Amino acid sequence: MNGARLGPKDLRTLLGEWETGGQSAYHALADRIRLLIIDGRIPTRTRLPAERELADELERSRTTIVSAYRALKETGHLVSQRGSGSVVALPHAHGGPGGFPEPAVVDFARAAPAAIGGLETIIRRATERLPDVLGKSGFDLVGSLPLRERIAAHYSARGLPTHPGQLMITLGAQHAIALVARTLVRQADRVLVESPTYPHALDGLRVSGGRLVTVPVTADGWDGDRLRDALERVRPAVAYLIPDFQNPTGASMPPAQRDEVVRQARRAGTVLVIDETTADLDIDRGWTDVPFAARADGHRTVSIGSLGKSVWGGLRIGWIRADDDVVGALHTARAAGDLGTPELEQLVATEVFDDYPALVQRRTEQLRHHRDVLVRELRERLPHWDVPVPDGGASLWVGLGAPISSALALFGLTRGVSLIAGPKFGVDGAFERFLRLPYTGRVDELTRGVHLLEDTARSLPALPAGRSPQLAEVV
Ligand SMILES: Cc1ncc(COP(=O)(O)O)c(C=O)c1O
């Protein structure tokens, strides 16, 4: 089966600032395309532009492009197909099964913490109720009633009256996002997203045919004018927002701005999809708010939650809170993709809610310590990087001072540190000067990871003179 064709202009956008002074042009181009393939920005089976077309677009000789493509073919990242030209592949000979890279020594790619202390005891407690589950099919499409009752009570206690019929239990928040996208987004619908944002949400929204419209968010928050403009002028069908400890910036939307967004979304007829996966990771924000949907005052809002960060991603327990009719539509749509959430994990999740406040407190104390260690190490070893300190969430959004994020990700692999390049968090090749660094790993891993980062940064080929004055200080 053939994949989509990537046009020369789109490839140029994805490439961003790909040239490095220390490498030949063909080598640098091959490296950058390889990274785009490895991190999924160019899916397998995509047809790359013909060599001459790309040479014209990049204003390079055809020989440069031919050599770059040849290098990619040698490492198995491109194959020639009769009639289709050069097609992207994942090399089976490299890395682990299916061509995926072997796990790195330090994983800065995922913000996925280990299970919170105390979960083992909770799991043991839950297994005492195993007979309740083993006597039935053990999975279902909406989720077990006891778990939905607990989550409903949790919302209600925090100021958003909720009944179990408004909830669907999912296989984590990512599944929830994809299912909501599949149900609410139609082909060519405009979908408002933050830029940068959580990359797999972008994947889910794109797969559903959404045309993404972005509004900027930084560590200092959302650009209110651009947000208003985008809602007013584009009138997107859906807006996907992460208002608490936004991934990756760590920013939180002030309550008054939330009210603004609701007002504007109501006017534009935009359904708000609010991802609260990171909302409980409050390290030292200093204020709390009701769940976003409590401010929606009847305007259609879909909330997504998860135990993935606060408790353990290995449970794969997330949920969607929405109006009953939306839950009905989700229910109808779901079976095409999966037949339900395992009851065993739901049994554990139900028990989790008995201890939830204590577990969250344990998690945020741990994250505070880890955040402080990572900030200290980075400031010490890479003093030219800009390291803002978020007041919650699971990662830092670090300014590199130079467009080296993709190069770091690529060279980091050879030094045992896996990273996601900044542009993966955007839609248009931006953020080459940023790197997300999660502080969810063990403290010794964080420290070692920063050593490896420093080592990687030093080993990078220099950018062409004049491209970035700061780089000389970084490398
Ligand atoms: C904002 C956001 N949404 C969703 C997810 C996916 O969470 P889950 O593990 O529950 O699928 C993540 C995980 O990093 C996230 O940061």
Side-chain angles (χ1 to χ4, degrees), residues 116 245 278-284 309-310 357-371 391-393 439:
I116 194 66
F245 314 112
T278 47
D280 287 336
L281 308 182
D282 180 351
I283 298 177
D284 44 20
K309 309 285 179 204
S310 50
L359 296 177
V360 167
Q361 193 184 342
R362 199 169 296 158
R363 176 65 85 207
T364 52
E365 277 164 13
Q366 180 194 54
L367 288 174
R368 177 183 299 115
H369 176 49
H370 288 210
R371 176 197 66 182
D391 52 20
Y439 41 85

Side-chain angles (χ1 to χ4, degrees), residues 18-32 58 60-61 64-65 67-68:
W18 58 274
E19 287 164 281
T20 53
Q23 281 179 302
S24 58
Y26 91 84
H27 199 163
L29 180 61
D31 274 354
R32 181 55 56 89
L58 299 181
R60 283 306 129 107
S61 73
T64 299
I65 313 299
S67 305

Side-chain angles (χ1 to χ4, degrees), residues 35 39 41 199 397 404-410 419-426 430-432 434-436:
L35 176 71
D39 77 10
R41 277 179 283 163
W397 184 235
I404 56 168
S405 195
S406 293
L408 277 174
L410 189 64
L419 304 163
I420 298 187
K424 181 91 174 141
F425 294 83
F431 306 118
E432 194 55 85
F434 288 87
L435 187 63
R436 184 191 75 161

Side-chain angles (χ1 to χ4, degrees), residues 95-284:
F100 295 105
E102 296 287 5
V105 180
V106 175
D107 181 4
F108 272 138
R110 295 191 304 167
I116 194 66
L119 184 62
E120 206 178 314
T121 312
I122 292 173
I123 292 174
R124 284 185 211 288
R125 211 162 71 207
T127 56
E128 286 165 20
R129 304 215 337 262
L130 258 183
D132 297 352
V133 166
L134 296 179
K136 300 187 286 176
S137 72
F139 57 93
D140 74 309
L141 283 170
V142 277
S144 78
L145 185 60
L147 178 55
R148 287 183 293 125
E149 281 171 348
R150 297 295 169 99
I151 296 173
H154 188 61
Y155 274 119
S156 301
R158 288 159 56 233
L160 178 62
T162 300
H163 63 83
Q166 290 172 288
L167 289 164
M168 171 182 269
I169 309 301
T170 60
L171 301 159
Q174 177 58 31
H175 175 225
I177 296 165
L179 186 58
V180 167
R182 221 165 71 216
T183 311
L184 298 184
V185 177
R186 277 176 307 215
Q187 196 65 31
D189 269 353
R190 304 292 186 95
V191 178
L192 185 79
V193 293
E194 294 144 342
S195 178
T197 189
Y198 167 58
H200 295 309
L202 296 177
D203 296 339
L205 294 163
R206 274 201 199 99
V207 166
S208 301
R211 285 161 59 198
L212 305 182
V213 179
T214 58
V215 331
V217 53
T218 67
D220 295 328
W222 286 251
D223 183 328
D225 292 342
R226 297 274 293 274
L227 196 48
R228 181 178 2 89
D229 250 35
L231 284 166
E232 250 174 43
R233 286 212 240 132
V234 178
R235 295 176 161 268
V238 165
Y240 167 81
L241 302 171
I242 312 170
D244 293 282
F245 314 112
Q246 201 256 1
N247 183 358
T249 61
S252 288
M253 189 181 280
Q257 194 171 31
R258 296 176 193 224
D259 290 337
E260 273 285 284
V261 168
V262 169
R263 263 198 301 281
Q264 290 150 6
R266 192 194 304 278
R267 246 183 266 134
T270 300
V271 177
L272 291 170
V273 175
I274 303 298
D275 186 344
E276 294 176 325
T277 299
T278 47
D280 287 336
L281 308 182
D282 180 351
I283 298 177
D284 44 20

Side-chain angles (χ1 to χ4, degrees), residues 284-306:
D284 44 20
R285 185 168 67 178
W287 54 273
T288 51
D289 195 24
V290 289
F292 192 104
R295 297 183 165 277
D297 191 24
H299 177 66
R300 181 148 282 187
T301 303
V302 176
S303 308
I304 290 172
S306 172

Side-chain angles (χ1 to χ4, degrees), residues 70-91:
R70 190 186 310 121
L72 289 165
K73 282 170 190 161
E74 279 165 12
T75 54
H77 292 90
L78 265 192
V79 289
S80 297
Q81 275 183 7
R82 271 177 85 90
S84 300
S86 302
V87 177
V88 166
L90 275 176

